[in-house]
């Protein structure tokens, strides 16, 4: 892995803002430089686009309640509505629409929303782990959405899922050299 090139920059900020960043950094056991970088990265990767694409923050409890009574038909309906939204979002944020950009955008969304996720590689197998903590219907929704996305780009490749009420692990063979951050 190449070391990322950096540059020193000085900003004049209100004392209160600097104190809040330092406090947050201390609470997260990182330097205030790392905290400022994380804040700026989140803004660049997601927040600057959120308003433009119509993303609004929704309390997790509301999603939890909405998911309780979701039927299979409801899940299908939501996925049919959300698929073109995902495509438009990926095109707008990443400047193109392919599997790599789609996965990267979903990872950016999960990171921005505080959802835990991980992408692990074992040879040609890629494991996408999503911990939503919203109940079994949201696991079904997540499985089906990932199934639709992968099928769109790789119609002949089978994706397998393992799920609990809080977590989904989607496994698919994408090859050892697949990297969603290189396109």
């Amino acid at each position: 892995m190449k070391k990322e090139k950096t540059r020193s920059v000085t900003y004049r900020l209100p004392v209160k803002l600097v104190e809040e960043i330092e406090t947050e950094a201390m609470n997260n056991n990182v330097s205030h430089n790392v905290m400022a970088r994380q804040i700026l990265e989140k803004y660049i990767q997601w927040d600057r686009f959120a308003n433009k694409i119509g993303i609004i923050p929704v309390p997790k409890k509301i999603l939890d309640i909405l998911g309780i009574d979701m039927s299979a038909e409801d899940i299908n309906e939501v996925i049919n509505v959300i698929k073109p939204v995902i495509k438009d979002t990926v095109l707008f944020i990443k400047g193109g629409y392919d599997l790599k950009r789609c996965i990267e955008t979903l990872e950016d969304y999960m990171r921005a929303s505080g959802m835990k996720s991980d992408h692990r590689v074992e040879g040609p197998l890629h494991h996408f782990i999503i911990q939503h903590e919203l109940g079994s219907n949201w696991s079904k929704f997540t499985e089906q959405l990932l199934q639709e996305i992968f099928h769109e780009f790789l119609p002949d490749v089978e994706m397998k899922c393992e799920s609990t009420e809080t977590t989904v692990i989607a496994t698919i063979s994408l090859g050892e050299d697949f990297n969603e951050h290189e396109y």
Side-chain angles (χ1 to χ4, degrees), residues 27-56:
N27 290 341
N28 286 285
N29 203 26
V30 296
S31 70
H32 59 86
N33 187 65
V34 168
M35 180 57 59
R37 179 183 172 146
Q38 289 173 351
I39 291 166
L40 291 170
E41 283 176 342
K42 182 178 179 282
Y43 175 80
I44 291 301
Q45 291 171 353
W46 188 259
D47 292 345
R48 70 179 170 150
F49 300 112
N51 213 16
K52 295 173 186 170
I53 60 176
I55 298 288
I56 58 170

Side-chain angles (χ1 to χ4, degrees), residues 48-53 86-97:
R48 70 179 170 150
F49 300 112
N51 213 16
K52 295 173 186 170
I53 60 176
I86 290 172
K87 185 172 185 174
D88 288 343
T89 299
V90 173
L91 282 167
F92 185 78
I93 293 175
K94 303 295 180 184
Y97 185 70

Side-chain angles (χ1 to χ4, degrees), residues 37-171:
R37 179 183 172 146
Q38 289 173 351
I39 291 166
L40 291 170
E41 283 176 342
K42 182 178 179 282
Y43 175 80
I44 291 301
Q45 291 171 353
W46 188 259
D47 292 345
R48 70 179 170 150
F49 300 112
N51 213 16
K52 295 173 186 170
I53 60 176
I55 298 288
I56 58 170
V58 176
K60 189 174 181 180
K61 189 67 179 166
I62 290 175
L63 292 176
D64 194 19
I65 291 168
L66 290 173
I68 291 171
D69 295 326
M70 249 190 331
S71 67
E73 186 178 297
D74 294 333
I75 291 170
N76 288 335
E77 192 173 319
V78 172
I79 286 176
N80 288 334
V81 169
I82 205 169
K83 276 177 46 185
V85 172
I86 290 172
K87 185 172 185 174
D88 288 343
T89 299
V90 173
L91 282 167
F92 185 78
I93 293 175
K94 303 295 180 184
Y97 185 70
D98 55 40
L99 182 59
K100 291 180 177 186
R101 286 177 175 94
C102 197
I103 291 171
E104 188 177 64
T105 303
L106 290 171
E107 288 174 342
D108 291 346
Y109 168 76
M110 287 182 282
R111 195 172 20 263
S113 65
M115 200 177 298
K116 297 176 204 138
S117 68
D118 194 18
H119 177 182
R120 298 178 191 164
V121 181
E122 281 182 57
L125 293 179
H126 291 250
H127 307 282
F128 297 91
I129 303 160
I130 300 166
Q131 196 167 44
H132 55 77
E133 300 177 347
L134 290 168
S136 60
N137 282 334
W138 285 109
S139 287
K140 291 173 192 166
F141 169 83
T142 303
E143 278 185 36
Q144 191 171 329
L145 180 62
L146 292 174
Q147 197 75 256
E148 297 265 345
I149 289 168
F150 283 116
H151 183 73
E152 179 179 356
F153 297 106
L154 304 167
D156 299 326
V157 180
E158 184 183 352
M159 182 189 85
K160 295 183 179 174
C161 282
E162 290 180 60
S163 296
T164 68
E165 286 202 5
T166 61
T167 306
V168 173
I169 301 173
T171 301

